Amino acid sequence: MDMVPALLMIFLQFVSAGNNVFNKLALDSGMNPQILVAYRQILATCFLAPAAVYFERKTRPTFTRWIFFKIFLSAFFGGVMHQCLYFTGLKHTTPTIACALLNTAPAITFILAILFRMETIGIHRLSGQAKVIGTIVCVGGAAMMSFYTGSIINIGRSTLHWRYAEKLISQNTSASSSTITGPVVVFLGVVCFSMWFIIQNNLFKTFPAPYTVHPQL
């Protein structure tokens, strides 16, 4: 049973990767990124709203103006800016690069937490040094993968062929990773995603109702 949380997180990474691929196909087929975000929010709300009513009807704290403001910031950075920027960038890059940049979220969150005095570096401790090195490796690796253009490494061709996907790829080769616009916009979306973590941490201390306030990511 101790392995269940770790296995679930690994499974979630596969789901996230598959989600990126299907979102990319939808964008390449002509869907507007903002429309995609609207559909995601509407469908997620239909699933999460009943859960908020059922599970939090007796434990939900009282709403105040300050709570509403925090919820607004949470929705703005997590539900609007992150998704709109991320999917706009995904439209102009590849799912692999988008996933790589999304993995910089822990490092960016760590940097923002330091700026907002929610974390301390502790550079003289081994744990602090590990955090700094991990942040540099994480951001540097994602940046190199996104912006460095080198020689192609031939690792063979897959035997799986999805004709619809192949047709879209052939029609949209110019919109893949030929420009830095896509990775830069995705990175800005990840910064907003990290900012959302900071806001959520503060929000849940005074309003512990995750189903009610969670932007539909």
Side-chain angles (χ1 to χ4, degrees), residues 20 23-24 27-28 31-37 80-94 98 175-176 179-189:
N20 260 334
N23 285 328
K24 176 64 174 176
L27 294 169
D28 283 350
M31 177 172 282
N32 186 289
Q34 284 70 40
I35 299 298
L36 178 59
V37 171
V80 179
M81 293 302 296
H82 161 60
Q83 291 195 41
C84 287
L85 288 171
Y86 184 83
F87 289 124
T88 300
L90 179 61
K91 186 178 181 66
H92 299 285
T93 189
T94 65
S176 58
T179 175
I180 66 170
T181 302
V184 168
V185 176
V186 169
F187 181 77
L188 293 176

Side-chain angles (χ1 to χ4, degrees), residues 7-209:
L7 293 175
L8 288 176
M9 286 189 287
I10 293 173
F11 173 73
L12 182 61
Q13 293 302 311
F14 280 98
V15 173
S16 177
N19 184 46
N20 260 334
V21 172
F22 285 110
N23 285 328
K24 176 64 174 176
L25 289 174
L27 294 169
D28 283 350
S29 67
M31 177 172 282
N32 186 289
Q34 284 70 40
I35 299 298
L36 178 59
V37 171
Y39 285 159
R40 284 167 57 96
Q41 299 282 30
I42 292 171
L43 290 174
T45 299
C46 291
F47 282 97
L48 288 181
V53 172
Y54 181 77
F55 291 108
E56 297 175 350
R57 65 185 185 279
K58 296 181 179 179
T59 60
R60 187 184 301 111
T62 303
F63 284 98
T64 64
R65 291 182 179 180
W66 184 236
I67 293 298
F68 270 117
F69 178 68
K70 289 182 180 180
I71 293 175
F72 166 77
L73 291 179
S74 175
F76 178 75
F77 282 99
V80 179
M81 293 302 296
H82 161 60
Q83 291 195 41
C84 287
L85 288 171
Y86 184 83
F87 289 124
T88 300
L90 179 61
K91 186 178 181 66
H92 299 285
T93 189
T94 65
T96 303
I97 291 177
C99 279
L101 289 171
L102 187 59
N103 286 330
T104 64
I108 299 173
T109 304
F110 174 62
I111 295 172
L112 290 175
I114 293 175
L115 295 177
F116 285 98
R117 297 184 178 181
M118 300 172 67
E119 285 268 6
T120 56
I121 300 178
I123 195 65
H124 298 294
R125 299 194 302 269
L126 183 61
S127 59
Q129 296 170 5
K131 290 179 181 179
V132 173
I133 294 174
T135 300
I136 295 173
V137 171
C138 181
V139 176
M144 179 177 293
M145 184 175 182
S146 302
F147 303 118
Y148 175 73
T149 303
S151 57
I152 298 176
I153 300 176
N154 186 11
I155 57 175
R157 293 179 59 86
S158 172
T159 58
L160 299 175
H161 296 285
W162 187 4
R163 298 300 180 188
Y164 176 70
E166 289 179 346
K167 181 180 179 181
L168 287 178
I169 291 172
S170 63
Q171 291 176 348
N172 296 277
T173 51
S174 61
S176 58
S177 57
S178 57
T179 175
I180 66 170
T181 302
V184 168
V185 176
V186 169
F187 181 77
L188 293 176
V190 175
V191 172
C192 292
F193 187 47
S194 298
M195 190 65 193
W196 172 74
F197 279 114
I198 301 297
I199 297 169
Q200 287 280 287
N201 179 267
N202 182 273
L203 176 60
F204 284 149
K205 290 179 180 178
T206 54
F207 196 83

